[in-house]
Amino acid sequence: MSPARETIGIGMVGHAFMGAVHSHAWRSVHRFFDPPLVPRLAVLAGRDESRAGDAAARFGWEAVETDWRKLIARDDVDLVDVCTPGDSHAEIAIAALDAGKHVLCEKPLANSVAEAEAMAEAARRARERGVRAMVAFNYRRVPALAHARKLVESGALGEIRHVRSVYLQDWLSDPQAPMTWRLRKETAGSGALGDLGAHIVDAAQFVTGELVTGVSALTNTFVKERPAETGGTDDVTVDDTALFLARLSGGAVASFEATRFALGRKNAMRLEVNGSKASLAFDFESMNELQWYEGTGTEAGFRRILVTEPDHPYVGVWWPPGHLLGYEHTFTNEVADLLEAIGAGTDPTPSFDDGLRVQRVLAAVEESAAAEAKWTAVEEEK
């Protein structure tokens, strides 16, 4: 029997889609991994007490608060998990860090560069006191993408030349789909760009180890009004799609596309990297697979790697080879890494600084699109 481990009290703000998958991760992580800290689902916060109470009972949280400030102030909360829309990320995360609580914050880090800068600065201050912060780019924890990063790091692809990264969904294709907070700039910051584009920018930078340095972009809003909950229509104030070309810091060129209007594509987050020696390709709709190409001649072609072997990233704690993992496992892998970092007193990744870098790319895309695709440099770190 393993010795008893110290617990860490989790307080989660928000309980919808992201709240559900984060709850599953916190509840499951110590049953598969062996983290130095065992999470205790101490308290969940939501504005509506009845709905928050139902979510807490369903997901296994011990208590409910209707004010996130009260959640942060509780002695039984050691880590604050921010699963709210982007307009509240900065206020909640900064308050939690300043109160000495570790923070996990959903992506994108914020709705603006200024907010992201303030969050990154708060994380730097907190780091000096041993308090850790991480932004939740869960696709980094897909075993196939983590394996792709290892292949690039090993030099197996040679010089990186091309990167193609797309995120295609279709859930907004129907013009009668109702208005949501994701379609309002004041709550979401941007549309497909922030919601989906943030993921593919981070995935490309993570796998290649290179940063986006400049962009030429287009955005478009296909449906400018949608049915409102109270009747009538509301204006859509964010983009429906974003496309941009980019240069990377190592010399590669890249293309990115994010849309929620690609009929037939449900969650096609794809990344292809072409090097001087080999190429790799990934599609989240086949998330346990990595496509790999090397060699020459008439028999050369892409081959399928099933990323389910025990020595592949994260896979060893889960099922036997060939037994596939799913979307929810990426979040469990994510919180396992965060708990390991907190227990070891090291900085988890992706950090708030990493989230800030992505935010600067998104801002450059918006600036370029507003200037008819003018080439726009990504702001450098100050």
Side-chain angles (χ1 to χ4, degrees), residues 155-161 273-280 292-295 302:
L157 278 81
E159 176 189 351
I160 303 302
R161 292 172 172 168
V273 182
N274 305 129
S276 58
K277 296 179 180 178
S279 292
L280 60 83
W292 177 256
Y293 175 90
E294 61 182 336
F302 275 94

Side-chain angles (χ1 to χ4, degrees), residues 223-248:
V223 177
K224 296 178 171 55
E225 292 182 338
R226 288 193 178 269
E229 291 181 0
T230 56
T233 60
D234 279 343
D235 291 337
V236 174
T237 53
V238 299
D239 61 275
D240 286 330
T241 187
L243 303 93
F244 54 103
L245 304 178
R247 289 192 182 277
L248 302 185

Side-chain angles (χ1 to χ4, degrees), residues 144 288-290 303-309 312 321-324:
N288 292 275
E289 300 176 14
L290 193 64
R303 63 183 175 87
R304 169 177 171 264
I305 302 172
L306 189 62
V307 188
T308 62
E309 294 298 319
H312 285 142
H323 292 70
L324 308 182

Side-chain angles (χ1 to χ4, degrees), residues 66 70 76 78 87 106 115 135 138 154 176 178 189 197 200 209 237 264 307 319 344 348 365:
T66 56
K70 291 182 179 179
D76 59 349
D78 304 301
D87 62 327
E106 258 303 323
E115 288 177 339
V135 60
N138 66 295
S154 73
Q176 294 305 307
I200 56 178
T237 53
V307 188
W319 319 125
V365 169

Side-chain angles (χ1 to χ4, degrees), residues 49-243:
E49 186 172 11
S50 176
R51 291 177 58 208
D54 289 345
R58 188 164 65 252
F59 300 141
W61 294 88
E62 297 174 5
V64 171
E65 295 283 0
T66 56
D67 185 340
W68 60 262
R69 296 170 184 83
K70 291 182 179 179
L71 178 147
I72 290 174
R74 290 177 62 125
D75 291 336
D76 59 349
V77 171
D78 304 301
L79 184 151
V80 176
D81 187 355
V82 184
C83 294
T84 59
D87 62 327
S88 58
H89 285 186
E91 187 178 17
I92 297 171
I94 291 171
L97 290 167
D98 287 348
K101 315 287 183 171
H102 307 293
V103 171
L104 174 63
C105 183
E106 258 303 323
K107 49 54 62 184
L109 187 60
N111 279 2
S112 69
V113 170
E115 288 177 339
E117 287 175 339
M119 295 171 74
E121 177 56 35
R124 294 183 203 111
R125 292 195 306 267
R127 186 184 307 135
E128 296 176 357
R129 296 177 282 117
V131 178
R132 309 297 169 181
M134 189 172 86
V135 60
F137 283 113
N138 66 295
Y139 290 116
R140 288 190 178 206
R141 270 72 187 197
V142 176
L145 272 186
H147 187 57
R149 176 184 172 92
K150 290 177 64 176
L151 288 170
V152 172
E153 287 181 323
S154 73
L157 278 81
E159 176 189 351
I160 303 302
R161 292 172 172 168
H162 290 280
V163 177
R164 298 176 194 85
S165 197
V166 304
Y167 203 148
L168 312 176
Q169 295 180 343
D170 70 355
W171 64 279
L172 283 176
S173 297
D174 182 355
Q176 294 305 307
M179 191 71 177
T180 78
W181 67 266
R182 294 182 185 274
L183 302 177
R184 296 187 176 96
K185 189 171 183 62
E186 63 269 22
T187 50
S190 60
L193 175 62
D195 188 20
L196 309 180
H199 271 307
I200 56 178
V201 169
D202 183 72
Q205 294 186 147
F206 168 68
V207 170
T208 65
E210 300 185 17
L211 301 178
V212 175
T213 60
V215 300
S216 173
L218 297 173
T219 60
N220 198 45
T221 303
F222 299 112
V223 177
K224 296 178 171 55
E225 292 182 338
R226 288 193 178 269
E229 291 181 0
T230 56
T233 60
D234 279 343
D235 291 337
V236 174
T237 53
V238 299
D239 61 275
D240 286 330
T241 187
L243 303 93

